[in-house]
Amino acid sequence: MLKYGYNCKHCKEYREKTCDGTASDCMCRRCPRNLGQCLTVRYCRETESVLMEEYD
């Protein structure tokens, strides 16, 4: 079993070191799709919905 989910390497929080890949409620961790591609086009093929990034 992987230390972190398959898609963590594509996750913005993981790359910025604000997440260690162990959050059980993260969409990146268990998504069966290529999250990197979904984040690039801002569309989730699994849920068929638009991805919107939240800004602080």
Side-chain angles (χ1 to χ4, degrees):
M1 186 165 164
L2 296 173
K3 176 185 171 192
Y4 51 85
Y6 169 76
N7 281 303
C8 287
K9 64 185 174 188
H10 301 293
C11 180
K12 179 180 176 182
E13 285 81 14
Y14 184 77
R15 289 191 319 252
E16 293 176 352
K17 308 280 192 250
T18 58
C19 176
D20 63 1
T22 60
S24 62
D25 61 345
C26 181
M27 74 173 180
C28 301
R29 191 160 190 238
R30 304 231 184 248
C31 182
R33 306 289 182 180
N34 181 337
L35 186 64
Q37 182 181 40
C38 295
L39 292 173
T40 299
V41 297
R42 294 190 174 119
Y43 182 79
C44 177
R45 293 184 301 152
E46 182 69 13
T47 62
E48 298 182 350
S49 60
V50 176
L51 297 175
M52 298 189 68
E53 190 171 341
E54 293 183 23
Y55 296 96
D56 291 334

